[in-house]
Amino acid sequence: MSVGVLASGAGTNLQALIDHVHGGGGVRIAAVASDRAGAPALERAARAGIESRVFAATEFDSRAQRDAAIAAWLQERGVELVVLAGYMQLLTDGFLEAFPDRVINIHPALLPAFPGLGAIQQAIDHGVKVFGASVFFVDGGVDSGPLILQRAIELPAGSDAESAHDLLRPVEHELLVEAVRLIAAGTVRIDPHNSRRVVISR
Ligand code: GRF
């Protein structure tokens, strides 16, 4: 299975995929795209010998045009699954239609709680005692698609967003790696009777 990764930032989730799924179990990361020139994720791709490209907002007249260009670039590279690994842009419907039920995202909260930006801070401000990570199929909403995997951990009293994120990062990495492996193995499907439910046959 050829995977395309979209990333805007540090790229630690991309690195987890490079280290643990790329080149094994029939999975290959074929392409990495970013909206940000200079994103460390691009260096991680380069070090792994993975082709990458920047699609900056300024190069396109609209989000739809940029997304169409990204989708075409990924399709030319044979990408079958798109992984959002810290991609800080919302995708337009046109992009999602190019990869139906084939775009996944990782979010640092136990969805449907705390969607959107600053999820960890939202959770801290709410006073939660546990938080976690969710991997889901992307739909047209903000962090609203069908959940594939979730994992919870305790939020230690007095945590700030940075220390909480440091605790969560290894959990995110494990969860995303597991989700990609399960999808590659053909064990993940959306319940035909309830499109909110993802069924995993392990
Ligand atoms: C992760 O916390 C992920 O859940 C969120 O963005 C962050 C990306 O981190 N969507 P990195 O760039 O993979 O290190």
Side-chain angles (χ1 to χ4, degrees), residues 106-180:
I106 172 106
H107 184 72
L110 294 173
L111 292 169
F114 313 123
L117 291 175
I120 296 176
Q121 190 62 52
Q122 290 183 52
I124 291 170
D125 292 345
H126 197 85
V128 303
K129 308 300 183 198
V130 291
F131 72 131
S134 304
V135 179
F136 59 97
F137 284 113
V138 176
D139 65 7
V142 177
D143 301 324
S144 56
L147 294 163
I148 305 169
L149 294 175
Q150 293 190 292
R151 197 155 298 157
I153 57 171
E154 266 183 45
L155 179 65
S159 300
D160 60 18
E162 207 179 309
S163 64
H165 204 169
D166 285 346
L167 272 184
L168 189 62
R169 229 171 243 123
V171 176
E172 288 197 298
H173 298 165
E174 267 180 43
L175 213 61
L176 190 59
V177 162
E178 190 180 338
V180 172

Side-chain angles (χ1 to χ4, degrees), residues 1 81 102 104 137 148 178-188:
M1 183 178 74
L81 175 72
R102 286 270 131 183
I104 67 170
F137 284 113
I148 305 169
E178 190 180 338
V180 172
R181 282 194 184 138
L182 288 169
I183 292 170
T187 58
V188 178

Side-chain angles (χ1 to χ4, degrees), residues 7-15 41 44 84-88 105-109 120 133-134 165 168-169 172-173:
S8 303
T12 65
N13 282 282
L14 167 64
Q15 190 66 52
R44 295 179 191 273
L84 309 187
Y87 186 61
M88 300 309 286
N105 192 12
I106 172 106
H107 184 72
I120 296 176
S134 304
H165 204 169
L168 189 62
R169 229 171 243 123
E172 288 197 298
H173 298 165

Side-chain angles (χ1 to χ4, degrees), residues 47-60:
R47 275 203 297 276
I50 299 167
E51 190 181 2
S52 69
R53 191 174 145 187
V54 176
F55 294 83
T58 48
E59 289 171 45
F60 301 93

